[in-house]
Amino acid sequence: MNQTVDPGDTVVDATVGNGHDTAYLAKLVGPAGHVYGFDIQAAAIRATASALAAHDLDQQVTLTQTGHENLAQVIPASQPVKCAVFNLGYLPGGNKEIVTKASTTLTAVQALESRLAVNGLILLLVYTGHPGGQDEATALLDHVKQLDQHQFQVLQYGFLNQVHRPPYLVAIQKR
Ligand SMILES: C[S@@+](CC[C@H](N)C(=O)[O-])C[C@H]1O[C@@H](n2cnc3c(N)ncnc32)[C@H](O)[C@@H]1O
């Protein structure tokens, strides 16, 4: 992220949760940039809003309590997106039944593909160990594998020596 995002950029935290990625992105874009953050849980939006305010980062962040599948209605079409981050699955310590889902994740990823700046990145941390996680991962991989290689570079990074079902990262970069 820090190699792609510059001060003044527009970026997206598609799954705000406790706001760790939101705060990190807000620092990277600085007061001249903007972070659009989405989460369906009111508690996540509340916790993130107060953490941002405590660190004086709130003025460069718009938090919206809605699904990331609606991001096209929130982010002005005139602002190309330099980076979008998805941390899929459930919120650690939260309700494990509230998880990201294949269809809404794909809607959001596709909307972002058409708004990415050149060299812009979509990063997805993918978890498969919870109910529905493997279905979501399969749908996502099926989608990204058919993206035109002249338009996007798609990479997957993962642990090869971890037990159970470790998460992996999918990175989509616009050429
Ligand atoms: C793994 S957590 C995110 C953790 C977060 N990055 C952090 O630093 O704490 C996944 C989050 O996605 C949210 N979520 C689930 N479905 C969503 C959707 N359609 N749009 C936006 N957020 C969603 C959940 O409420 C949960 O807070």
Side-chain angles (χ1 to χ4, degrees):
M1 277 195 264
N2 57 359
Q3 289 171 9
T4 298
V5 178
D6 294 313
D9 282 344
T10 296
V11 301
V12 177
D13 186 351
T15 51
V16 161
N18 289 322
H20 302 296
D21 296 332
T22 323
Y24 182 69
L25 287 167
K27 285 180 198 154
L28 288 181
V29 300
H34 210 79
V35 184
Y36 290 91
F38 299 88
D39 204 295
I40 54 175
Q41 297 193 62
I45 297 292
R46 267 199 310 274
T48 300
S50 56
L52 292 170
H55 293 92
D56 210 15
L57 293 167
D58 47 334
Q59 64 280 35
Q60 62 248 43
V61 180
T62 300
L63 295 173
T64 308
Q65 188 193 340
T66 189
H68 41 227
E69 60 275 20
N70 301 316
L71 63 84
Q73 293 152 39
V74 176
I75 306 170
S78 57
Q79 294 180 15
V81 172
K82 196 65 170 300
C83 184
V85 180
F86 291 73
N87 196 338
L88 301 179
Y90 58 83
L91 184 62
N95 183 343
K96 293 189 177 174
E97 289 179 6
I98 302 177
V99 293
T100 55
K101 299 216 163 66
S103 65
T104 42
T105 298
L106 276 187
T107 300
V109 167
Q110 286 170 304
L112 286 163
E113 283 161 5
S114 65
R115 284 165 177 252
L116 267 191
V118 172
N119 293 326
L121 262 185
I122 304 172
L123 298 171
L124 301 109
L125 192 58
V126 181
Y127 293 82
T128 58
H130 62 282
Q134 186 58 58
D135 290 345
E136 182 180 35
T138 302
L140 176 67
L141 292 182
D142 286 350
H143 168 69
V144 299
K145 280 179 190 166
Q146 55 76 47
L147 287 173
D148 181 349
Q149 67 178 42
H150 299 105
Q151 289 187 51
F152 297 98
Q153 289 195 101
V154 184
L155 288 94
Q156 181 178 343
Y157 307 86
F159 298 98
L160 295 176
N161 65 336
Q162 272 201 9
V163 296
H164 305 308
R165 301 171 83 171
Y168 54 87
L169 185 72
V170 172
I172 306 167
Q173 183 161 42
K174 184 147 181 175
R175 307 188 83 136

